[in-house]
Amino acid sequence: MRGRKPKAAAARRGGSDGAAIEVRDGSARMTAFVASNPALAATWVSLFGDGSAFKASDEQAMESLAWWTQALHQLQASMTYEDGSIDTMEHVEGDDGLVRSRPRPTFAQAKQANDMVMKLSDQLGISPLGRARMGVAQAAAGSAALDISKRIAEAMERRESAPVEVVGEVADVQD
């Protein structure tokens, strides 16, 4: 490649008219497709909150994750009875009059949806495996788990450095 190396954070120009592209604060926002569907919007909010922990370039993957998550919930609901039991088998009567069981097609679709949810979660760093791959202990610095681990570490340091006090009387033991 000739010329200087492009900078990753540089503002790019888009379109044939040379107009500058829209510059945002860098955080991801709910897409119009997701916002138009209340169930998807609720799933988006439960997964990503306000999107401030993600980049604008993650929006497409975030939209896909919200969609696949919603699809997985709907597929699971279609295989669940009112009493909470799950039926993954379909019972079909054959030409000979015998009833045969086979896996429901929705069970295979639910497995595919679950696989996509896991892949996208890892890609976005939402799952523990995804965070570990990215080298991030927690997605947010103020998370509860991180706060708890800091408190434990501080308490252990104080315990190791504090002088030991004996409370109460110690009886002499003679042989």
Side-chain angles (χ1 to χ4, degrees), residues 76-150:
Q76 288 172 335
S78 72
M79 292 185 290
T80 306
Y81 292 115
E82 289 178 8
D83 66 352
S85 63
I86 299 170
D87 188 13
T88 59
M89 300 300 282
E90 184 175 61
H91 310 288
V92 180
E93 186 175 342
D95 295 336
D96 56 358
L98 295 175
V99 176
R100 292 180 176 82
S101 297
R102 63 180 183 199
R104 287 182 183 263
T106 52
F107 186 67
Q109 292 170 344
K111 183 182 180 323
Q112 178 188 8
N114 188 50
D115 291 345
M116 288 302 297
V117 166
M118 296 307 294
K119 285 179 186 178
L120 289 166
S121 296
D122 289 346
Q123 181 182 0
L124 290 168
I126 295 173
S127 69
L129 178 61
R131 287 192 300 272
R133 274 197 203 129
M134 295 171 74
V136 179
Q138 287 293 329
S143 70
L146 189 58
D147 288 344
I148 291 169
S149 65
K150 282 182 183 178

Side-chain angles (χ1 to χ4, degrees), residues 20-37:
I21 60 171
E22 176 188 355
V23 178
R24 300 193 302 183
D25 63 356
S27 64
R29 294 198 177 110
M30 186 181 298
T31 62
F33 172 72
V34 173
S36 68
N37 184 327

Side-chain angles (χ1 to χ4, degrees), residues 1-7 12:
M1 180 171 142
R2 293 184 172 195
R4 67 176 190 213
K5 186 176 178 182
K7 294 181 181 177
R12 307 271 190 259

Side-chain angles (χ1 to χ4, degrees), residues 16-69:
S16 59
D17 59 355
I21 60 171
E22 176 188 355
V23 178
R24 300 193 302 183
D25 63 356
S27 64
R29 294 198 177 110
M30 186 181 298
T31 62
F33 172 72
V34 173
S36 68
N37 184 327
L40 274 179
T43 302
W44 175 288
V45 170
S46 71
L47 289 171
F48 312 116
D50 64 354
S52 62
F54 298 91
K55 297 179 182 175
S57 59
D58 294 331
E59 287 176 357
Q60 186 62 42
M62 293 166 72
E63 180 180 291
S64 293
L65 179 57
W67 190 90
W68 279 107
T69 302

